[in-house]
Amino acid sequence: MGRSLNIAMVTDFFYPQPGGVEFHVYHLSQKLIDLGHSVIIVTHNYGNRNGIRMLTNGLRVYYVPLAQLYRSSTFPTLLVGFPTLRTIFIREQIDIVHGHGSYSVMGAEGLLHGRTMGLKTVFTDHSLFGFADAQSIVGNKILKFTLSDIGHAICVSHTCKENTVLRGSLDPLKVSVIPNAVVSEDFAPDLNRKRHASRLTIVVISRLFPNKGADLLTAVVPHICHARDNVDFLIAGDGPKFLDLEQMREKHSLQNRVTLIGAVKHEEVRDVMVQGDIYLHPSLTEAFGTVLVEAASCGLYVVTTKVGGIPEVLPLHMTSFAEPEEDSLVENLLEAIDHVGSGEIDTLLFHSEVAAMYSWRDIARRTENVYFSLADTKLHQPLLTRLLKFYYCGAVAGKLYTLIVVVDIFILMILDWFFPAEHIDLATKWPRKLETSKELVEEPFS
């Protein structure tokens, strides 16, 4: 094992908000702590959750009071947040700044300021984005700025890697693929549940947004219910498309067969999943799809769309892939209903297979290797070399980016003059224990 590192996970997306990025950051941090490293999380405040909080295993979280702009992303502060982040990085004696999420403003700013301070930086991309619409064009330009001076990048799938390399104009050799994982013990099948071949339940747990295929779901449910009298739907999740599902249920008189339970807490996901036989995931874009692994671990056969990194997640005997179209999804669902209903597939065997494929200990080890790979790299580089990386980001944008970095450097000089690092109290590190074979035992998402 290499030396112990002080790591700062910086992202807009964290507890108490549920989501894939949120749980990835939490579980990865926990396992890195088990490996002997010191990990903190820097995020924005959620309601009255401000200041410093301590979670399981000594995981310290800094909830910085910042205004939120859209879907938990903070309003860009550019250079205003530098004093706060500098104080946190110095206080925690940070070696590596690890940003998460392409559209995380805090993550981008943390990486920028970290490099200005001479720290090593890593970025993890969890999503797929396009190239043609206005939002993607602007987002990709900002991502290129964010990753111009990055130490290393991590993507959750090979498809995600291709997407990120193109969007950020990265050297593919500086990008690793490390997937998400699950705590398999938290997603064990219900062995006491009696499965009746005469009646099947299709489970959906998703944020009800257009990119998650909520419109496809609304169109597919009536077709399946009319084609198979022995099939019910259990749909969990909330979002702008929830009303459309309610209206569909009323229109087709499916109140007794389609149950809408709204948003569920993460600790309740397993209890919802084990009530079903098939898991439906009609997403239109997905970099990985952790919920698919969770569903298979719970003993559900998965029917999903063949988009993004989804085909990389589970083996073929656990999954049926459809095109992101209504007819294809209906066809694959009907076939899956027949296969599962006839008992051809023993889905209870999926749990042990998933546990062997996806382990947070393995993910943490691979991430740790990325950190150590930066240990031998040159920490400081000529200022001109760094500025040229940003200058070549575009005829107009490049000059703007260079100016931002120059101002960032001057702000650091001013802060070092008026608030020297030696005047900042250092945080007391949580006593570390050697890694054991025991997996994570407690989650704060309750």
Side-chain angles (χ1 to χ4, degrees):
M1 176 178 166
R3 67 184 180 89
S4 175
L5 298 172
N6 296 321
I7 305 158
M9 303 286 185
V10 186
T11 181
D12 282 303
F13 315 115
F14 194 63
Y15 166 76
Q17 175 178 272
V21 177
E22 293 83 349
F23 297 114
H24 178 101
V25 172
Y26 170 72
H27 288 300
L28 175 60
S29 299
Q30 288 287 354
K31 293 313 294 180
L32 287 170
I33 291 173
D34 287 344
L35 291 174
H37 303 290
S38 174
V39 184
I40 67 165
I41 295 172
V42 184
T43 187
H44 64 75
N45 64 311
Y46 284 86
N48 61 354
R49 186 172 288 271
N50 293 291
I52 304 173
R53 301 293 181 96
M54 294 297 293
L55 301 184
T56 304
N57 212 14
L59 178 60
R60 186 180 286 119
V61 184
Y62 287 82
Y63 288 97
V64 182
L66 293 171
Q68 298 178 39
L69 181 63
Y70 176 67
R71 292 184 68 174
S72 293
S73 290
T74 52
F75 190 87
T77 61
L78 291 179
L79 309 172
V80 176
F82 195 2
T84 301
L85 289 175
R86 171 182 174 269
T87 300
I88 295 174
F89 294 162
I90 293 175
R91 169 181 162 80
E92 297 288 346
Q93 305 172 69
I94 295 302
D95 301 303
I96 292 179
V97 178
H98 192 158
H100 291 264
S102 294
Y103 283 175
S104 171
V105 175
M106 287 196 72
E109 294 182 358
L111 294 172
L112 169 64
H113 302 323
R115 285 300 299 128
T116 299
M117 294 176 63
L119 305 177
K120 294 168 184 176
T121 52
V122 176
F123 169 78
T124 295
D125 200 354
H126 298 262
S127 305
L128 299 176
F129 293 95
F131 300 88
D133 59 285
Q135 180 180 354
S136 296
I137 292 173
V138 174
N140 294 342
K141 206 66 177 178
I142 295 174
L143 180 69
K144 190 173 182 179
F145 166 59
T146 302
L147 303 185
S148 291
D149 194 29
I150 200 74
H152 200 86
I154 297 172
C155 294
V156 295
S157 67
H158 292 280
T159 301
C160 182
K161 175 179 177 177
E162 294 176 5
N163 184 262
T164 302
V165 166
L166 290 173
R167 291 163 54 223
S169 300
L170 288 174
D171 178 359
L173 296 178
K174 294 181 64 176
V175 184
S176 299
V177 176
I178 303 177
N180 289 322
V182 297
V183 181
S184 57
E185 289 83 354
D186 292 346
F187 293 93
D190 185 0
L191 300 179
N192 296 320
R193 177 175 178 261
K194 295 181 179 180
R195 296 173 181 266
H196 299 285
S198 60
R199 193 144 206 94
L200 298 176
T201 299
I202 298 176
V203 175
V204 181
I205 302 179
S206 174
R207 292 174 178 170
L208 300 178
F209 285 85
N211 66 308
K212 292 297 183 180
D215 293 321
L216 262 180
L217 177 63
T218 304
V220 164
V221 170
H223 286 291
I224 299 299
C225 288
H226 293 156
R228 295 288 189 274
D229 293 333
N230 64 326
V231 174
D232 299 322
F233 280 84
L234 179 60
I235 302 174
D238 202 358
K241 294 295 182 177
F242 186 84
L243 182 60
D244 290 353
L245 284 171
E246 286 187 319
Q247 292 176 341
M248 174 274 296
R249 186 173 63 171
E250 295 291 332
K251 177 180 178 181
H252 295 276
S253 301
L254 297 174
Q255 292 88 344
N256 294 330
R257 299 181 59 190
V258 178
T259 303
L260 303 175
I261 60 177
V264 295
K265 298 178 180 179
H266 188 256
E267 65 270 17
E268 299 172 348
V269 168
R270 181 261 178 190
D271 295 334
V272 174
M273 283 185 171
V274 295
Q275 298 179 47
D277 306 279
I278 297 172
Y279 183 80
L280 172 61
H281 191 70
S283 183
L284 301 182
T285 177
E286 201 79 58
F288 182 78
T290 306
V291 69
L292 304 180
V293 182
E294 295 171 346
S297 181
C298 287
L300 276 70
Y301 185 79
V302 176
V303 177
T304 181
T305 46
K306 193 176 183 180
V307 297
I310 287 179
E312 304 175 33
V313 177
L314 295 171
L316 293 177
H317 67 280
M318 297 183 183
T319 321
S320 177
F321 297 108
E323 297 299 324
E325 302 169 355
E326 181 181 333
D327 292 341
S328 178
L329 205 54
V330 169
E331 179 182 351
N332 279 267
L333 262 177
L334 292 176
E335 291 179 359
I337 291 168
D338 293 337
H339 289 320
V340 174
S342 64
E344 296 177 16
I345 306 172
D346 187 359
T347 58
L348 293 179
L349 298 177
F350 293 175
H351 176 72
S352 58
E353 296 181 58
V354 169
M357 287 188 289
Y358 293 104
S359 164
W360 277 114
R361 180 178 287 104
D362 176 59
I363 302 308
R365 286 287 188 187
R366 294 164 66 177
T367 305
E368 181 187 52
N369 289 337
V370 170
Y371 295 156
F372 288 150
S373 72
L374 300 176
D376 298 328
T377 60
K378 191 175 180 180
L379 191 61
H380 297 286
Q381 59 182 336
L383 176 59
L384 182 59
T385 301
R386 185 180 183 219
L387 294 179
L388 285 176
K389 293 180 180 179
F390 294 97
Y391 185 81
Y392 290 124
C393 283
V396 176
K399 296 178 177 61
L400 176 61
Y401 297 161
T402 304
L403 177 61
I404 291 174
V405 175
V406 170
V407 174
D408 203 47
I409 294 171
F410 274 111
I411 291 178
L412 178 62
M413 295 171 61
I414 293 172
L415 291 172
D416 286 342
W417 175 265
F418 286 101
F419 306 99
E422 55 267 22
H423 291 176
I424 297 175
D425 293 334
L426 302 182
T428 302
K429 297 299 180 182
W430 191 270
R432 290 193 293 267
K433 297 180 179 179
L434 294 177
E435 183 190 26
T436 65
S437 60
K438 189 177 181 180
E439 289 284 355
L440 302 179
V441 294
E442 183 178 347
E443 297 182 31
F445 299 88
S446 58

